[in-house]
Amino acid sequence: MTQPAPDGLLAAEAAHAHGAAQSVRQIFWRRFVRHRLAFGSLVFLVLLALASAAAPLVEAALDVDGNLVDLFNAKQPPSASHPLGTDDLGRDVLVRLLYGGQVSLAVGLAAALCAAIIGTLLGLLAGYYGGRLDGLLMRFTDGVIAMPILPLLIILAAIDLNKVGLPQALITSESASLYRIVFLVALFGWTTVARLVRGATLSMKTREFVRAAEALGASAPRIMLVHILPNVVSPIIVATTLSIGGIVLLESVLSFLGLGIQPPLPSWGNMLTSAQELIWDAPALAIYPGLLIFATVIAFNFLGDGLQDALDPRALQGEE
């Protein structure tokens, strides 16, 4: 008969496991900080998010209304009351940039998260069950990848919501265009995550701990969610982070074409749309949102590269 392990031995094993987990976290953080572009991008994105969240405070401090039209003060240069000047309708540019940051970042984060959830679910199902289900889901994924996404999104974004049976309260909501962009991008943006998760699941389901869980009678959903998913989360994080920049750019393109976020709700894309006819009279109105879009997309790409390097399991094992 097997004797129970002494309490001291159990405590030592628990401490060793805790120390190993802490060591992995420390190695990850050291590797991430060494990636200076990624760390700088993280700092920039955090500051941008905080500044955007503080838009109402900035609005109150400047004693302005970001949506108030004042044609007598249109296209004013920077001043103490308007640090970045005013637009063609006399609205404060700084406040609208911060509110636009809230919308553009919210679209990027929400759409990327929804796409990651869809892709993770399909990838787990395809990789774990295999066979015909795997073939069907992967051929469907290939079909979505083969579609010309931008023209398709332009067509879908132009559909009149009154003709699709949605509640009138949602259609007339100021945020209706935001919800539509998030839905459309998530509908077609899950393919990369699905393929990555499927490949990682195919590798994981042959591991001993998964075989042991199956032998003990664990259900398929429990095995996928408890045993496989935590071990494939790294590529999901990297792919999701990298996709946010592309989604922000895609939202800006649709808004620039007049099919994305609709005024009076500001976004960097529709601010560019308003500024395109004033490029010679007031070029700053196009430069500010353009620079923010460029910097945000580049920052998310650098952040994704840094996370990919820091979360590389081979690199983590090499530094332990």
Side-chain angles (χ1 to χ4, degrees):
M1 182 176 179
T2 304
Q3 296 295 325
D7 293 341
L9 181 58
L10 293 176
E13 290 178 351
H16 176 73
H18 176 73
Q22 187 176 14
S23 175
V24 170
R25 288 194 295 267
Q26 291 172 347
I27 292 171
F28 161 75
W29 182 247
R30 285 201 305 268
R31 288 182 56 80
F32 181 76
V33 170
R34 284 205 299 265
H35 200 298
R36 295 185 179 181
L37 288 175
F39 184 72
S41 297
L42 177 62
V43 173
F44 167 76
L45 291 171
V46 169
L47 293 177
L48 180 61
L50 291 176
S52 298
L57 300 178
V58 175
E59 191 176 30
L62 296 175
D63 193 22
V64 298
D65 185 345
N67 292 320
L68 181 63
V69 175
D70 184 6
L71 296 177
F72 292 104
N73 289 314
K75 295 185 286 187
Q76 292 295 314
S79 62
S81 56
H82 301 288
L84 296 181
T86 60
D87 63 7
D88 57 318
L89 297 178
R91 300 171 296 189
D92 187 83
V93 173
L94 175 60
V95 171
R96 289 188 63 79
L97 283 172
L98 295 180
Y99 277 116
Q102 290 183 4
V103 173
S104 295
L105 292 175
V107 168
L109 292 171
L113 182 60
C114 293
I117 292 173
I118 297 172
T120 299
L121 177 61
L122 295 180
L124 282 172
L125 292 173
Y128 183 76
Y129 287 107
R132 293 183 178 178
L133 181 62
D134 181 24
L136 177 63
L137 291 177
M138 286 303 100
R139 298 300 75 74
F140 176 64
T141 302
D142 293 339
V144 174
I145 292 174
M147 291 180 181
I149 298 299
L150 183 57
L152 186 60
L153 289 179
I154 290 174
I155 294 171
L156 293 176
I159 293 176
D160 186 359
L161 294 180
N162 290 297
K163 298 180 179 179
V164 296
L166 293 176
Q168 194 63 30
L170 177 61
I171 295 174
T172 57
S173 170
E174 188 179 83
S175 302
S177 57
L178 188 150
Y179 300 143
R180 173 160 58 180
I181 294 300
V182 170
F183 172 76
L184 292 178
V185 173
L187 192 62
F188 298 99
W190 50 267
T191 54
T192 300
V193 174
R195 293 175 71 91
L196 288 172
V197 173
R198 182 241 182 196
T201 303
L202 286 173
S203 174
M204 284 292 167
K205 75 175 185 178
T206 60
R207 300 288 183 89
E208 289 80 3
F209 62 90
V210 175
R211 295 297 189 191
E214 291 175 345
L216 291 173
S219 63
R222 178 176 176 80
I223 292 173
M224 287 187 285
L225 296 177
V226 176
H227 299 283
I228 295 179
L229 181 59
N231 290 284
V232 302
V233 72
S234 296
I236 297 173
I237 293 174
V238 173
T240 303
T241 305
L242 288 171
S243 70
I244 295 175
I247 293 171
V248 170
L249 186 60
L250 188 58
E251 178 274 321
S252 301
V253 170
L254 292 174
S255 297
F256 181 78
L257 295 174
L259 299 172
I261 306 301
Q262 299 298 315
L265 195 65
S267 77
W268 294 334
N270 63 28
M271 290 181 71
L272 277 176
T273 302
S274 302
Q276 64 179 331
E277 297 180 357
L278 307 167
I279 193 67
W280 300 113
D281 297 334
L285 297 181
I287 292 174
Y288 293 140
L291 282 178
L292 284 174
I293 293 170
F294 174 79
T296 302
V297 172
I298 292 297
F300 274 114
N301 287 338
F302 282 143
L303 179 60
D305 289 340
L307 289 174
Q308 187 172 24
D309 293 341
L311 291 170
D312 186 353
R314 292 168 298 182
L316 291 175
Q317 292 173 2
E319 294 195 21
E320 289 180 354

